[in-house]
């Protein structure tokens, strides 16, 4: 058994002295709510079982969509949802998912070949009951914007235009608008965000960056807009593939710098998956377990979380060499930890894993990094919403739970739309043994945003056993009152399940304040949100 680390107490274990300085006069830009976006692929139990239970189901639903999921997503103010993939997108014919439900074809799912033998047939053979209408309805119920990923690998550009036409052409204007109306949707869906392929360097067509740029130009030239602003998101790099970013943009501007205006975002994908401590780079052999891990594994994952910062600044710099005015923003539309199979709460759900406190700390750290770069990041989408990788929710039949990652999204929703402020976090580094070699990373990280006279400060303390006794200075401000919401546990493996839904939930309490300084003890292994009311 891996030992527990009894660590959570406001006065228990040893503490390091830390300091945070929030600089009210150094605004970094508005935090786009879309940084708090989600990703739903037709993969394993994400759509069928997770989102879609069917209209005739005894599971509480709204027109076939799982009601509890909708309620939770409204709570976290989910701003945007990406669909239908992922790799699935480049095998999907959107026409299969429209029209009368009983007439829709059954198709082999992209993931069929890697589905385990015990997965249900509905995961292997797509019944197309959840298509464009149902997805847009799902978004509307929540108040989210749809972000559709088009098939660039196996459908012609014309089908992309037609999908836009189906979604956005005015009532009664086209045959496709009439088909939309026949399903009860007279008014256009007004879909703004369109992904043009997915991972086009791999499952999305195996293109070179230059080949993909040519395809991108072809797909996005003269798409009918129907008065709706269209924001095209190009398939971008996988983690540190700098050559993809450079190669793509160089080829795009071969037809003139004006071509840059056709691109809203460049999609960056980053998964933290290699827990081998440097022993291998093999995609399967390098993965660790979601639930069974030791302290070094905890730190290894979080150290990989830090990498997001250098990916953002590195790609941004390359983008700036070609796109000098930085018209194109980064869209991190897949991110999160990825473990080997084995922790699925529903056996047979491919790519499902059980998020723990470790994943909550990773997620808080990642969202804090996004908050610090509001000028660079227009959108981010956690992979994936339910029954998958870094899922905020898990569900099976009538069972449902919010994972620690879901609680982090709930806590961090307070940042949405705020003015990001520069905040300087000073803390002794975390040191640990990476097998025989010493390794270290930042001891306290976080972000701050201002909403009129309310300051939201979030922070993660990654240390498994030491608290951070922290003086938080807000020069120029007088503090009226403050509350702290903390997600932590005495067990670094803590997670929720269908049977025990509330093993790990955030706790809120009032914090004592004095003048323009706040003293706060961040517990070990924790994610914290401080809401500070200023005078
Ligand atoms: O999120 C799972 C898969 O990871 C997606 O389908 C793909 O885009 C990525 O490789």
């Amino acid at each position: 058994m891996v030992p527990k680390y009894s660590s959570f107490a406001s006065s228990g274990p040893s503490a390091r002295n830390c300091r945070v300085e929030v600089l009210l006069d150094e605004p970094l830009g508005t935090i786009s709510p879309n940084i708090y976006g989600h990703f739903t692929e037709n993969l394993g139990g994400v759509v069928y079982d997770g989102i879609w239970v069917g209209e005739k189901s005894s599971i509480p639903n709204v027109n076939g969509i799982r009601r509890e999921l909708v309620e939770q997503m409204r709570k976290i103010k989910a701003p945007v949802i990406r669909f239908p993939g992922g790799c699935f997108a480049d095998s999907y014919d959107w026409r299969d998912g429209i029209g009368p439900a009983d007439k829709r074809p059954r198709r082999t799912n992209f993931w069929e070949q890697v589905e385990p033998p015990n997965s249900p047939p509905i995961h292997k053979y797509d019944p197309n009951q959840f298509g464009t209408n149902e997805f847009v309805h799902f978004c509307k119920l929540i108040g989210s914007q749809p972000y559709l990923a088009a098939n660039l690998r196996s459908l012609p550009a014309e089908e992309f235009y037609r999908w836009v036409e189906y979604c956005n052409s005015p009532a009664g204007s086209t045959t496709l608008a009439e088909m939309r109306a026949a399903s009860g949707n007279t008014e256009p869906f007004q879909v703004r965000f369109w992904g043009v392929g997915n991972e086009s360097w791999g499952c999305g067509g195996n293109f070179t960056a230059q080949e993909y740029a040519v395809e991108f130009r072809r797909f996005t030239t003269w798409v009918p807009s129907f008065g709706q602003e269209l924001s095209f998101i190009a398939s971008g790099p996988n983690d540190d593939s700098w050559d993809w970013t450079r190669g793509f943009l160089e080829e795009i501007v071969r037809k003139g710098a004006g071509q840059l205006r056709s691109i809203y975002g460049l999609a960056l994908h980053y998964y933290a998956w290699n827990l081998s401590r440097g022993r291998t780079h093999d995609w399967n052999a390098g993965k660790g377990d979601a639930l069974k891990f030791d302290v070094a594994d905890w730190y290894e994952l979080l150290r990989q979380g830090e990498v997001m910062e250098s990916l953002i600044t590195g790609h941004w710099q390359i983008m700036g060499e070609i796109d000098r005015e930085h018209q194109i923003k980064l869209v991190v539309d897949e991110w999160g930890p990825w473990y080997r199979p084995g922790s699925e709460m529903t056996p047979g759900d491919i790519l499902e894993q059980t998020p723990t406190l470790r994943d909550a700390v990773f997620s808080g750290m990642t969202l804090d990094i996004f908050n610090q770069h509001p000028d660079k990041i227009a959108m981010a989408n956690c992979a994936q919403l339910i029954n998958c990788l870094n899922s905020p929710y898990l569900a099976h039949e009538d069972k449902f739970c919010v994972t620690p990652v879901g609680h982090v999204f709930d806590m961090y929703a307070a940042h949405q739309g705020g003015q990001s402020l520069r905040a300087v976090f000073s803390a002794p580094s975390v040191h640990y043994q990476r097998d025989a070699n010493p390794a270290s990373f930042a001891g306290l990280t976080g972000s701050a945003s201002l909403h009129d006279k309310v300051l939201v400060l979030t922070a993660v303390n990654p240390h498994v056993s030491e608290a951070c006794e922290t003086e938080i200075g807000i020069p120029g401000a007088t503090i009226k009152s403050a509350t702290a919401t903390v997600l932590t546990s005495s067990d670094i493996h803590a997670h929720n399940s269908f049977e025990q839904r509330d093993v790990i939930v955030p706790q809120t309490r009032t914090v004592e304040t004095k003048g323009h300084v706040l003293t706060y003890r961040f517990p070990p292994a924790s994610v914290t949100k401080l809401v500070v009311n200023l005078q």
Side-chain angles (χ1 to χ4, degrees), residues 23-30 374 419-422 448 450:
L23 304 165
L24 291 177
D25 54 357
E26 291 199 38
L28 302 173
T30 303
Q419 180 61 244
S420 176
L421 297 173
R422 197 160 87 81
L450 192 64

Side-chain angles (χ1 to χ4, degrees), residues 39 41 86-87 111 198-199 269 271 334 338 351 384 389:
F39 170 34
E41 177 163 5
C87 294
W111 294 96
N198 167 76
E199 297 195 347
H269 289 183
Y271 288 103
E334 291 188 28
W338 190 327
L351 263 54
Q384 301 193 14
L389 300 171

